């Protein structure tokens, strides 16, 4: 998105490499992926966990994000973004065919509580079996329910403007004021926070129109132009003293790196504080002079 925006505004773009986990995700939830193969294997006569592992390894042995273990017969390895994970298929088929009792599902769906009824109603199910002509829908497996729930979540996220809050677990013992730094670092790596920081440092994540930039930072050069053009922005940046490689100009916006922009914000804060101090001192001087002019005649008369 940032690269596309930069191209539209006339900014020269350099390629930034990112670790893309899309193919690993498709390996699981794509058509004919690991979840679909697990569902199919559940309905194959005399199938077991070993046959499932063998079919998976045979189909995806040349996949870039897949690896077949040398010794383990009922296992396979997926190369995730955060690292390689070996999945042992013991109990996969049994657990995948472990849905709730049909009687329990119907009982909960008929509950007078809308909350309980919604919890036990599958996504996309429009009413009970009686409302659908008395036919029961085909029972889905655990993998099928998980896949449907995941698709519903991604569709909802795509339709909204999401803001994420990253939660980090400080230690495994749940102790207060105790930080396990290697554990925290692993979480930051697996959640992609470090990758996002690397991309922000490599690119120009801060974008401001010429007018916005001059309106905010004119205090750094009070005698300069405030017309909001590219020349005014260039003068302000030169006044701030940040390196030339830390910013660039587009057709209507100035692009800056994250740390230099923070430095300019700090300079703005200092300049505003100095201006406020000068204003306060001027007001205090006027008030003191007015006070002296008021009490001076009385003082002279008293003397």
């Amino acid at each position: 998105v940032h690269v596309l925006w930069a191209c539209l505004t006339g900014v020269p773009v350099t390629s930034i490499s990112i670790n893309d986990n899309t193919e690993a995700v498709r390996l699981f939830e794509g058509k004919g992926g690991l979840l679909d193969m697990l569902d199919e294997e559940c309905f194959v006569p005399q199938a077991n966990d070993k046959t499932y592992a063998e079919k998976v390894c045979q189909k995806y042995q040349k996949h870039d994000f897949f690896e077949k273990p040398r010794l383990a017969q009922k296992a396979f390895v997926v190369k995730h973004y955060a690292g390689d994970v070996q999945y042992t298929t013991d109990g996969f088929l049994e657990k995948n065919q472990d849905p709730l009792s049909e009687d329990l599902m119907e009982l909960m769906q008929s509950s007078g509580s809308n909350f309980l009824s919604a919890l036990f109603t599958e996504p996309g199910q429009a009413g009970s079996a009686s409302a659908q002509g008395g036919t029961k829908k085909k029972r889905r497996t655990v993998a099928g329910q998980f896949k449907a729930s995941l698709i519903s979540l991604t569709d909802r996220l795509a339709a909204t403007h999401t803001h994420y809050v990253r939660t980090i677990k400080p230690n495994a013992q749940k102790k207060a004021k105790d930080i396990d730094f290697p554990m925290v670092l692993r979480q930051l790596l697996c959640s992609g926070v470090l990758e996002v920081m690397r991309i922000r440092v490599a690119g120009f994540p801060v974008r401001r129109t010429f007018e916005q930039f001059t309106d905010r930072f004119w205090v750094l050069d009070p005698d300069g132009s405030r017309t909001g053009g590219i020349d005014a922005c260039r003068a302000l940046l030169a006044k701030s003293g940040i390196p030339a490689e830390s910013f660039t100009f587009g057709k209507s916006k100035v692009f800056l790196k994250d740390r230099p922009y923070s430095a300019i914000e700090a300079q703005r804060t200092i300049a505003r504080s100095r201006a406020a101090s000068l204003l306060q001192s001027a007001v205090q001087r006027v008030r003191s002079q007015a006070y002296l002019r008021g009490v001076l005649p009385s003082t002279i008369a008293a003397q």
Side-chain angles (χ1 to χ4, degrees):
V1 176
H2 295 289
V3 173
L4 177 60
W5 186 268
C7 293
L8 293 176
T9 53
V11 174
V13 178
T14 57
S15 177
I16 300 176
S17 61
I18 60 174
N19 293 320
D20 192 358
N21 200 43
T22 303
E23 290 301 322
V25 175
R26 290 176 180 172
L27 181 62
F28 277 93
E29 64 178 31
K31 186 176 181 180
L34 299 179
L35 295 181
D36 285 350
M37 292 184 66
L38 179 59
D39 285 347
E40 293 175 1
E41 197 69 9
C42 288
F43 299 100
V44 174
Q46 299 181 351
N48 53 50
D49 300 326
K50 183 179 179 181
T51 59
Y52 170 67
E54 290 175 349
K55 290 181 180 179
V56 167
C57 292
Q58 182 179 2
K59 182 176 181 179
Y60 291 107
Q61 58 183 343
K62 296 183 179 180
H63 196 282
D64 293 336
F65 288 81
F66 187 90
E67 183 177 309
K68 179 181 178 180
R70 294 183 178 179
L71 301 178
Q73 295 183 347
K74 294 191 293 184
F76 56 87
V77 176
V78 176
K79 300 178 180 180
H80 290 279
Y81 161 76
D84 297 350
V85 178
Q86 178 170 312
Y87 294 87
T88 303
T89 61
D90 286 328
F92 267 34
L93 270 66
E94 179 183 359
K95 294 178 181 178
N96 194 42
Q97 300 182 87
D98 189 27
L100 294 174
S101 169
E102 190 71 23
D103 294 336
L104 177 61
M105 291 284 291
E106 293 180 0
L107 177 63
M108 292 295 101
Q109 290 174 6
S110 63
S111 172
S113 171
N114 294 332
F115 176 71
L116 282 178
S117 178
L119 283 179
F120 291 87
T121 301
E122 297 180 358
Q125 183 175 352
S128 61
S130 59
Q132 299 175 4
T135 59
K136 292 185 179 180
K137 299 179 65 177
K138 182 180 178 181
R139 181 183 297 177
R140 291 190 299 178
T141 61
V142 175
Q145 295 177 20
F146 171 77
K147 185 177 178 180
S149 177
L150 185 61
I151 293 175
S152 175
L153 175 61
T154 54
D155 291 343
R156 179 177 297 181
L157 292 176
T160 58
H161 297 284
T162 54
H163 298 273
Y164 294 97
V165 177
R166 299 289 186 184
T167 56
I168 302 297
K169 190 175 181 180
N171 58 76
Q173 292 75 28
K174 300 181 180 180
K175 293 183 179 179
K177 300 180 181 180
D178 182 16
I179 300 179
D180 185 349
F181 290 101
M183 179 179 177
V184 171
L185 182 60
R186 286 195 301 270
Q187 294 177 75
L188 292 174
L189 177 62
C190 294
S191 62
V193 174
L194 297 181
E195 183 71 9
V196 172
M197 294 174 62
R198 185 186 68 82
I199 294 174
R200 287 184 64 88
V201 171
F204 297 93
V206 181
R207 307 183 300 269
R208 296 290 184 272
T209 64
F210 297 149
E211 292 77 11
Q212 291 174 344
F213 190 81
T214 53
D215 287 344
R216 184 166 184 82
F217 297 107
W218 66 268
V219 68
L220 300 179
D221 188 14
D223 299 329
S225 173
R226 302 187 193 178
T227 58
I230 187 173
D231 294 333
C233 294
R234 185 176 283 109
L236 286 174
L237 290 169
K239 193 77 173 181
S240 65
I242 67 172
E245 62 272 12
S246 301
F247 60 88
T248 186
F249 296 99
K251 297 178 182 178
S252 60
K253 292 188 176 184
V254 54
F255 291 72
L256 300 98
K257 291 185 178 293
D258 202 15
R259 292 182 180 178
Y261 181 77
S262 300
I264 299 177
E265 284 284 1
Q267 294 181 26
R268 175 178 178 268
T269 301
I270 295 174
R272 286 165 59 90
S273 298
R274 290 175 178 173
S277 298
L278 290 175
L279 181 60
Q280 289 174 349
S281 63
V283 172
Q284 290 293 342
R285 183 178 70 251
V286 172
R287 293 181 61 183
S288 299
Q289 290 174 350
Y291 174 76
L292 289 175
R293 284 195 295 267
V295 302
L296 186 59
S298 301
T299 303
I300 293 176
Q303 291 177 347

